[in-house]
Amino acid sequence: MPMTMTQKILADHASLASVEAGQLIEAQVDLVLGNDVTAPVAIREFEKIGVAEVFDQRRIALVPDHFAPNKDIKSAEQCKIMRDFARNREIEHYFEIGRMGIEHALLPEQGLVLPGELVIGADSHTCTYGAVGAFSTGIGSTDMAAAMAAGTAWFKVPGAIRFVLNGALGGWACGKDLILSVIGAIGVDGALYRSMEFDGPGVATLSMDERFTIANMAIEAGAKNGIFAVDARTRAWAASVSARSYREYAADSDAEYERTIAIDLTSIRPQIAFPHLPSNARPAAGAERTPIDQVVIGSCTNGRIEDLRAAAFLLKGRSVAPGIRCIVIPATQQIYRQAVREGLVDAFIEAGAVVSTPTCGPCLGGHMGILADGERAVATTNRNFVGRMGHPGSEVYLASPATAAACALAGCIVDPGEIAPAPPRGYFETTAKA
Amino acid sequence: MKQGCRVWKYGDNVDTDVIVPARYLTTSDPAELAAHCMEDIDPGFAAGVLQGDIIVAGENFGCGSSREHAPIAIKASGVACVIAGSFARIFYRNAINIGLAILECPQAAAEIQSGDMLSVDFESGEIHNLTRDRQYRAALFPPFVRDIMATGGLIPYTRKKLLNSGARTGVRQEGD
Ligand code: SF4
């Protein structure tokens, strides 16, 4: 029975020789994740099961990132539930403020997710780790509770959509523009229950940070997971974050896909997703010059070092347009420090932006930049649903870090090419710099 | 069999951000969450919904955030069942795991209107629109899922599994 990459990882973790789409299985998990919103509910349910201990103290990660540093008394109490649980149950991977970051940037950076692993997280963007060739998917708090007790979870094996990438991105187009284009083409339920499997020669041209951005937004097409074929870049990345051994999986050459979509990367242009769905994507260049009030550069989608470099490239030596609030949020402490070292933070502050400690903050309308009625924000986040960043009468436009920075400078929606020509491809990459 | 269930009808892609806006996620208390259920698309819902009412919606219901606060809020509102053309997958599994009844039936989802009265039989998947005298049949869940639901949700299911397996000691017996 030929299998896709996702199906092979699931089969192995369920100790089955093969699985097929639609099959319900119970699989062993390598890591279980929760945050300050979802873990308190999971902890309440976990206590009901009545097991003496969690299945493995080294295979649970708890990250206070959504409303942390605590924004009010209620969120402080939610975080405390998680902190107390972590302490009492001796959970190894609990990340306190000061060592924290947005979960989906933090876990890979800390070497907690490697190729071939099976990770579930009580957060829908857990699908981010498909970037490294892992199977990872978002689940609910009750799933998290059961997995913390038993070390297993139930899954319906997904069918797959294959995306064959050719060519290379050019100009200001980056991973964010690619995934917004894909969601624009297939719709917010275009990959419902399916895995999105990315391969083809174009994959090698995408940086790891870009792959994280792309896999991160698989859920925005309704997918169970997004996954990238493992290549030399993945292996180099894995060696840089962890000494643990891992297993590589590759799809069978005759694996079945419900659909195969070929994408010419050279045709991708900077995108803006208009309210109120990520699928309302259109080229920034042709879009109306809609005036905006705020720009947010950060989140688990685009708060990584390459994202900050791209934004700083445009903001450095220029000024945020009068009346525009530009908020920059590095996704982890490590990224924050790197941004300080490279002078990016200075460039942001000089341009008139504010720089925050790592947090989800405004991405989910939590804190640190909530919108009032009628206000508009361009954000590098992943969701532009009604009320996502504040008042139900506010609007969120999704874009890449370069496009968002350009909008901050112009005070309205623009294509980054209007501010400055793009540097050569690879300019913002860590490997290219070293 | 639930009789006299009034319908609250919504469109496609109802996301968990509008079911429970993030500004209320600083609590996980079901009653508090229910007080804000559907607030951003239907401010009248929380005050008007009655025990046994039914939500009917289009495609991809519950998309977006994995927050279990969304099905918890719907369940705590007294909603007996959600019928949709399709469900987003995390919402689908959350509903099953916490024991919120859901039925997938595109035709029913398309034809039933706000204010209609329904009767629903979860055993057979039969939906009867009493207002328009129309019958529908939703697809039944796979046996594995029905097993979880019959045990009362994933928590009792996991408890039972761990007790039976004997592989893990220390599961306290009921009443400990
Ligand atoms: S940054 Fe936004 S999307 Fe990512 S985990 Fe935080 S709230 Fe969720």
Side-chain angles (χ1 to χ4, degrees):
Chain A
M1 185 83 206
M3 289 187 282
T4 64
M5 192 171 165
T6 294
Q7 290 164 355
K8 280 193 175 172
I9 298 174
L10 286 172
D12 253 11
H13 284 79
S15 303
L16 297 169
S18 77
V19 295
E20 56 183 22
Q23 189 177 343
L24 283 154
I25 58 163
E26 269 190 303
Q28 299 285 330
V29 301
D30 293 309
L31 188 73
V32 185
L33 161 72
N35 60 49
D36 52 319
V37 168
T38 58
V41 179
I43 290 164
R44 187 169 71 201
E45 296 304 311
F46 173 85
E47 302 295 356
K48 285 185 199 162
I49 298 172
V51 282
E53 285 166 5
V54 297
F55 83 108
D56 188 339
Q57 287 128 318
R58 295 157 305 170
R59 292 180 180 277
I60 294 170
L62 298 173
V63 188
D65 54 1
H66 279 57
F67 295 118
N70 309 145
K71 74 154 181 151
D72 56 16
I73 295 170
K74 280 182 147 183
S75 58
E77 279 165 356
Q78 296 294 300
C79 283
K80 187 166 184 298
I81 293 172
M82 188 162 86
R83 184 181 301 116
D84 289 348
F85 179 83
R87 190 177 298 145
N88 296 338
R89 300 281 178 176
E90 294 171 11
I91 304 298
E92 190 174 313
H93 303 295
Y94 169 73
F95 297 91
E96 193 51 272
I97 306 304
R99 288 188 298 126
M100 177 268 268
I102 301 173
E103 51 201 299
H104 310 306
L106 185 67
L107 265 48
E109 170 196 287
Q110 297 294 317
L112 295 181
V113 185
L114 293 179
E117 296 186 335
L118 193 158
V119 180
I120 59 169
D123 189 278
S124 59
H125 293 102
T126 303
C127 55
T128 307
Y129 322 129
V132 308
F135 171 85
S136 63
T137 193
I139 43 85
S141 294
T142 299
D143 280 309
M144 181 189 171
M148 286 199 297
T152 57
W154 65 273
F155 298 101
K156 186 158 108 183
V157 176
I161 301 180
R162 181 183 186 196
F163 296 86
V164 182
L165 309 184
N166 298 299
L169 294 166
W172 277 114
C174 64
K176 180 66 162 284
D177 302 304
L178 168 58
I179 190 64
L180 286 176
S181 306
V182 167
I183 297 165
I186 68 173
V188 290
D189 58 357
L192 198 61
Y193 294 118
R194 318 271 188 310
S195 66
M196 297 170 78
E197 314 238 342
F198 296 91
D199 64 11
V203 167
T205 70
L206 296 172
S207 70
M208 290 311 290
D209 279 7
E210 287 183 308
R211 297 181 200 186
F212 283 119
T213 302
I214 294 163
N216 173 273
M217 287 192 73
I219 178 71
E220 259 50 76
K224 187 185 202 91
N225 66 315
I227 195 164
F228 278 84
V230 173
D231 65 6
R233 219 191 273 253
T234 321
R235 289 177 206 115
W237 169 86
S240 76
V241 295
S242 174
R244 282 190 296 129
S245 61
Y246 57 87
R247 185 155 171 210
E248 285 181 26
Y249 294 84
D252 289 319
S253 55
D254 53 351
E256 264 182 46
Y257 298 93
E258 291 180 16
R259 235 176 127 180
T260 296
I261 299 174
I263 296 176
D264 175 14
L265 295 177
T266 52
S267 71
I268 305 291
R269 300 284 172 270
Q271 301 285 308
I272 294 254
F274 277 56
H276 290 283
L277 285 176
S279 54
N280 291 337
R282 53 185 94 152
E288 202 183 319
R289 299 174 76 89
T290 315
I292 56 168
D293 304 284
Q294 178 166 301
V295 166
V296 174
I297 297 167
S299 85
C300 60
T301 312
N302 281 122
R304 296 185 180 80
I305 193 67
E306 287 176 26
D307 301 319
L308 300 186
R309 285 180 189 141
F313 180 86
L314 287 167
L315 287 167
K316 191 178 167 80
R318 298 188 174 92
S319 280
V320 169
I324 305 296
R325 307 163 328 240
C326 180
I327 302 165
V328 182
I329 311 178
T332 67
Q333 288 289 106
Q334 193 172 305
I335 295 166
Y336 197 1
R337 287 193 63 202
Q338 182 69 21
V340 169
R341 275 197 292 268
E342 294 182 16
L344 310 182
V345 170
D346 232 19
F348 293 134
I349 294 172
E350 268 180 44
V354 298
V355 182
S356 157
T357 192
T359 179
C360 295
C363 172
L364 81 161
H367 58 143
M368 278 300 299
I370 304 305
L371 300 174
D373 190 11
E375 288 193 323
R376 284 193 197 104
V378 172
T380 68
T381 56
N382 45 48
R383 289 193 175 130
N384 52 357
F385 300 154
V386 171
R388 174 73 181 180
M389 202 171 275
H391 194 282
S394 62
E395 295 181 344
V396 178
Y397 296 71
L398 304 175
S400 73
T403 304
C407 295
L409 294 166
C412 62
I413 287 176
V414 289
D415 182 276
E418 283 194 37
I419 305 291
R425 177 143 186 90
Y427 186 82
F428 301 124
E429 258 179 68
T430 301
T431 45
K433 294 228 147 187
Chain B
M1 181 84 99
K2 290 243 180 217
Q3 288 290 342
C5 310
R6 194 165 53 118
V7 168
W8 297 75
K9 177 83 188 271
Y10 301 101
D12 293 340
N13 303 317
V14 172
D15 61 78
T16 52
D17 272 275
V18 295
I19 299 173
V20 178
R23 57 186 180 277
Y24 303 119
L25 295 184
T26 51
T27 180
S28 55
D29 176 53
E32 260 187 81
L33 293 169
H36 301 290
C37 190
M38 309 305 270
E39 190 172 290
D40 284 0
I41 47 165
D42 186 355
F45 178 85
V49 67
L50 297 174
Q51 193 70 34
D53 279 359
I54 290 182
I55 289 175
V56 178
E59 301 299 323
N60 202 24
F61 185 87
C63 62
S65 154
S66 66
R67 64 190 67 159
E68 207 158 292
H69 308 66
I72 289 174
I74 291 174
K75 198 178 171 198
S77 305
V79 167
C81 169
V82 183
I83 300 169
S86 62
F87 290 90
R89 58 159 287 276
I90 304 178
F91 186 93
Y92 175 93
R93 64 185 296 139
N94 284 349
I96 290 162
N97 288 344
I98 70 163
L100 168 67
I102 57 172
L103 289 174
E104 234 173 27
C105 185
Q107 203 194 349
E111 293 178 6
I112 294 169
Q113 296 302 323
S114 251
D116 286 0
M117 303 297 281
L118 306 183
S119 97
V120 177
D121 185 330
F122 301 114
E123 293 297 308
S124 64
E126 263 169 48
I127 302 165
H128 186 190
N129 187 336
L130 304 168
T131 308
R132 293 164 206 277
D133 195 23
R134 295 268 293 155
Q135 304 263 19
Y136 309 94
R137 190 183 282 266
L140 288 179
F141 290 111
F144 176 79
V145 170
R146 270 184 282 162
D147 223 29
I148 294 177
M149 290 174 122
T151 324
L154 188 65
I155 294 303
Y157 175 88
T158 305
R159 184 186 169 80
K160 203 172 110 188
K161 188 181 84 176
L162 290 177
L163 265 176
N164 290 347
S165 74
R168 292 176 49 83
T169 54
V171 179
R172 294 191 300 269
Q173 296 290 337
E174 211 72 59
D176 275 8

